[in-house]
């Protein structure tokens, strides 16, 4: 790994991130929140300066050479860490503690939606826009955005996409990587704008609609209201967000093809069908429990559909305080925390496609116990899935569960109760947001031990980058072979 290349390209990405801070600065100034506006401007300047210094330190090594896979991994991992620290500066400026600020920033960029805020009235409009904007940027990936706006990075862009891609997918929409990234971001932006309009028609203010739309399409879940979407108590708003959460959890490449007229491809996509079936079955099961517990039929369906999609797509909004639900109802949500959305979507979690393939591998092994010499290929979409891909998925699932277990154990060891520890670990690793207990939908992560929050920050980072992307960088052989230049 050429460290000069990693530093140079990471510096370029950091530099390109700095203008994002100008939007909340302008909003803060518009609402006469001058202290916050100055904080955003200073952070933007510091971010730009750091990016320039890193580019200069790396020289021109990253400008003309093709990236190697390990360098792509290093760039992505380092970029997310650096951007989270920089994105946390405005929170510190606004009065949040350093650990809580980093927690909030990482939660935003990884589209987790877990918050350390306890008093939402203590923060201004600029801060709330910044929370939503970091999620929107992180939704399809910071790296994808910068490939779209930096043609030079398309030279080694496939290595960056490999490291940042949210799931096992190799969808290509256009011949050139930069055009692919731009096509996805145009679709992403258009859907966001459409949701803003829909929410305003349903009664939201422009500012609230923008914040919630940015967080919905990103599968993020940050709301500018302490009670999340439940604050509005509106069936129309709930259903609008439910529809757009479903969209956010589907493969954006598949959506692009549907927009271009290839709707048959959507109907035939096995992962999308499995995703839709899981949503339908979970919604019906949850609605049955809610009706049994006394909720009206229409409200039960509304809140069931909302919370099922909020959890499976790892968005994390709440239309109601589900912490008050029965254990059976919460059990449905707990199971969904281990699923995730579709590969190629803004969602976190293991992804539906991995569960589909793991199920087929399991059934194949059951058949093999009866027919040990049979040739039993695993197929997806009519094509045979290679054994290498199946092995990678099994390894991913193993490390995902191990990472979750270690995270839960550490949080519990540091003083949290078992339910809080388990759900804190899976919601941060899966980038879901709220859990149960003290970190429920109307609660906050602020009360956890500071070291617990550091562990959860790491889990958000690891989970957003698909676990192995980060863990492989801890291998000694990577650093033994590292050189400043080739």
């Amino acid at each position: 790994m050429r460290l000069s290349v990693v530093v140079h390209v990471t510096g370029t990405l950091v530099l390109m991130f700095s203008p994002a801070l100008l939007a909340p600065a302008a909003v803060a100034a518009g609402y006469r929140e001058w202290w916050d506006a100055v904080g955003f401007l200073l952070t933007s300047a510091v971010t730009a300066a750091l990016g320039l210094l890193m580019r200069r330190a790396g020289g021109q090594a990253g400008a003309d050479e093709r990236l190697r896979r390990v360098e792509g991994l290093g760039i992505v991992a380092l970029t997310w860490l650096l951007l989270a620290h920089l994105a946390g500066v405005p929170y510190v400026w606004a009065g949040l503690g350093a650990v809580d600020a980093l927690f909030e920033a990482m939660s935003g960029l990884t589209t987790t939606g877990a918050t350390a805020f306890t008093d939402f009235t203590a923060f201004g409009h600029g801060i709330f826009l910044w929370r939503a904007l970091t999620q929107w940027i992180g939704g399809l990936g910071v790296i994808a955005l910068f490939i779209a706006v930096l043609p030079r990075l398309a030279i080694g862009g496939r290595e960056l996409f490999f490291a940042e891609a949210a799931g096992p997918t190799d969808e290509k929409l256009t011949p050139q990587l930069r055009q692919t990234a731009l096509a996805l971001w145009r679709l992403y932006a258009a859907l966001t704008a459409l949701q803003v309009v829909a929410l305003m028609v349903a009664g939201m203010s422009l500012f609230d609609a923008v914040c919630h739309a940015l967080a919905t399409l990103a599968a993020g879940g940050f709301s500018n209201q302490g009670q999340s979407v439940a604050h509005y108590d509106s069936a129309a708003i709930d259903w609008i967000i439910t529809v757009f959460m479903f969209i956010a959890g589907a493969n954006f490449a598949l959506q692009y093809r549907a927009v271009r007229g290839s709707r048959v491809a959507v109907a035939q996509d096995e992962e999308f069908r499995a995703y839709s079936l899981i949503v339908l079955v979970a919604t019906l099961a949850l609605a049955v429990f809610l009706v049994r517990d006394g909720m009206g039929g229409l409200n039960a369906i509304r809140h069931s559909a909302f919370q099922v999609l909020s959890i499976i797509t790892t968005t994390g909004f709440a239309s109601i305080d589900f912490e008050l639900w029965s254990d059976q109802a919460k059990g449905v949500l707990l199971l969904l925390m281990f699923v995730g959305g579709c590969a190629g979507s803004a969602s976190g979690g293991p992804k539906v496609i991995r569960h589909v393939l793991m199920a087929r591998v399991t059934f194949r092994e059951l058949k093999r116990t009866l027919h040990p010499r049979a040739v039993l290929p695993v197929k997806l979409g009519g094509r045979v899935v290679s054994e290498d891909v199946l092995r990678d998925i099994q390894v991913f699932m193993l490390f995902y569960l191990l990472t979750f277990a270690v995270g839960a154990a550490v949080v519990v060891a540091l003083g949290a109760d078992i339910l809080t520890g388990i759900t804190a670990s899976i919601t941060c690793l899966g980038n879901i947001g709220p859990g149960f207990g003290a970190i429920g939908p109307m609660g906050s992560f602020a009360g956890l031990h500071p070291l617990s929050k550091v562990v959860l920050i790491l889990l958000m980072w690891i989970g957003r980058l698909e676990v192995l992307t980060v863990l492989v960088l801890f291998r000694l052989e990577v650093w033994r072979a590292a050189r400043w230049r080739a």
Side-chain angles (χ1 to χ4, degrees), residues 343-366:
S345 72
S347 301
K351 307 295 187 299
V352 171
I353 189 65
R354 287 193 177 101
H355 287 287
V356 170
L357 290 174
M358 284 293 290
R360 293 184 181 180
V361 169
T362 301
F363 283 121
R364 181 184 69 172
E365 295 309 312
L366 289 175

Side-chain angles (χ1 to χ4, degrees), residues 55-192:
R55 279 171 55 85
R56 180 170 294 183
Q60 291 300 309
D64 305 308
E65 299 183 46
R66 185 176 184 85
L67 294 178
R68 300 166 186 167
R69 172 177 283 195
V70 69
E71 292 165 353
L73 297 174
I75 289 167
V76 170
L78 180 58
T79 298
W80 280 89
L81 273 182
L82 274 178
L83 292 186
H85 282 80
L86 292 166
V89 174
Y91 298 125
V92 175
W93 187 269
L96 207 61
V99 174
D100 285 350
L102 180 57
F103 184 95
E104 202 76 14
M106 184 65 81
S107 182
L109 285 172
T110 58
T111 71
T112 301
T115 185
F117 283 11
T118 54
D119 181 8
F120 277 60
T121 64
F123 301 95
H125 292 78
I127 289 293
F128 285 117
L129 180 64
W130 180 234
R131 292 170 85 233
L133 189 59
T134 54
Q135 293 202 316
W136 195 79
I137 292 172
L140 273 183
V142 175
I143 304 302
L145 172 64
F146 292 143
I147 288 176
V149 298
L150 285 177
R152 180 179 59 75
L153 285 186
I155 298 172
R158 296 199 181 278
E159 285 72 17
L160 294 181
F161 257 20
F162 162 79
E164 157 59 18
T169 180
D170 58 356
E171 293 277 10
K172 298 176 184 177
L173 307 179
T174 60
Q176 300 297 322
L177 191 62
R178 181 170 175 255
Q179 280 68 35
T180 296
L182 282 170
L184 291 175
W185 275 94
R186 287 192 190 105
L187 175 62
Y188 190 60
L191 288 170
T192 304

Side-chain angles (χ1 to χ4, degrees), residues 339-398:
V339 179
C342 297
S345 72
S347 301
K351 307 295 187 299
V352 171
I353 189 65
R354 287 193 177 101
H355 287 287
V356 170
L357 290 174
M358 284 293 290
R360 293 184 181 180
V361 169
T362 301
F363 283 121
R364 181 184 69 172
E365 295 309 312
L366 289 175
K367 290 182 181 179
R368 187 167 282 170
T369 59
L370 297 175
H371 309 284
R373 296 187 179 182
V375 177
L376 302 169
V378 173
K379 293 184 178 181
L380 184 70
R383 295 183 296 175
V384 174
V385 180
S386 73
E387 292 299 319
D388 287 344
V389 170
L390 295 177
R391 185 196 66 241
D392 290 346
I393 289 173
Q394 292 174 72
V395 170
F396 169 87
M397 294 300 291
L398 173 63

